[in-house]
Amino acid sequence: MDPILWDKFFADERKPRTKPLGADQRLLILQKLQGKLELGILFEIFTREIEKQIDVSRLIWDLDDTSTLIRRGKGTEFNQTFVLRLGENELGKLKYTTPYKLDNDEINLLHTYHRLFAGPLSNAIEYRRVKNMAMRDHLSGLGNRSSFEQDIQHSIAMSERRDVGLVVVIFDLDNFKQINDRYGHLDGDKVIRRFAIALKHAVRTSDRCYRLGGDEFIMLLQPATDKSAQKVAERVHHLINDDQALRTLQVSSSHGYAQYQKGDTTLSLIDRADRQLYKQKRNK
């Protein structure tokens, strides 16, 4: 047999045999997807159903300039992108990588899966949006206290299990009450927003920043060491000096940090960082 025909024969044999979804199958898939609001769980169910008929090497979901790897696997030359929609709303793009070129039956089957998936996916996206709003400080755009308390528990667990360095850095603004009294609360709010921008620009994407309330801010740096905290504090200082609005209002800040030690709790970490912060304030 001709080698090309031989390879084609076995390639066709390896391909899953796609079948249109019957009404009972569509109903069963919908039942599995409905009510799942966590995106990770939803995508796990979705890909598990697809892989019953189509071999997927890799799957990526793009939404709002963010790419999420749903299925990790080897890249191939066969790639197909589908736009997900529910009515007029776009729900991102799914980028499939497969071991072979998808035929028309497989493409039509994926469209059927996507139509079933769109409603639950839209609900999960909205749930994430509302959840993120509840965990965000409305003035600064940073995480709020609830978000911090949730994230630090995860960070401490990471340090315990994997010996990953964790540093907590606390900032507060010097004489913030006087800024409010002298310039008014509108300028005080501007200071909070501009300082939050400086904090975000001073850290890596893997680090997290929060406003705990008033003029008190906190960072979780991981992986990190004491030197990491010092470098971040220096960057914050330079960014404040480079910001025209903050410089005009004569804004300055103090900071303290604490590196995770085995057996630390949230309270013990914050207490050590707080003591260092107030020591710095007294020495100014």
Side-chain angles (χ1 to χ4, degrees), residues 15 25 110 135 140 153 165 189 218 262:
K15 291 176 64 174
Q25 289 175 295
L110 283 175
M135 303 296 276
S140 66
Q153 294 301 321
D189 289 350
I218 197 161
K262 194 167 182 62

Side-chain angles (χ1 to χ4, degrees), residues 3 13 30 57 65 86 92 110 117 129 132 142-143 149 157 164 178-179 194 201 213 223 253 274:
E13 284 294 305
L30 269 177
S57 301
D65 300 321
L86 182 66
L110 283 175
F117 188 50
R129 185 187 69 82
N132 286 344
L142 304 179
E149 290 174 351
V164 179
Q178 286 86 333
I179 293 173
R194 298 301 302 175
H201 287 173
S253 70
D274 255 335

Side-chain angles (χ1 to χ4, degrees), residues 40-56:
I41 295 173
L42 189 65
F43 269 108
E44 181 63 31
I45 295 170
F46 171 71
T47 51
R48 198 160 56 229
E49 291 300 318
I50 283 178
E51 288 172 341
K52 290 177 180 178
Q53 297 210 59
I54 297 175
D55 189 6
V56 178

Side-chain angles (χ1 to χ4, degrees), residues 31-44:
Q31 288 173 343
K32 292 179 180 179
L33 295 171
Q34 291 294 348
K36 305 300 187 297
L37 294 176
E38 294 294 341
L39 284 165
I41 295 173
L42 189 65
F43 269 108
E44 181 63 31

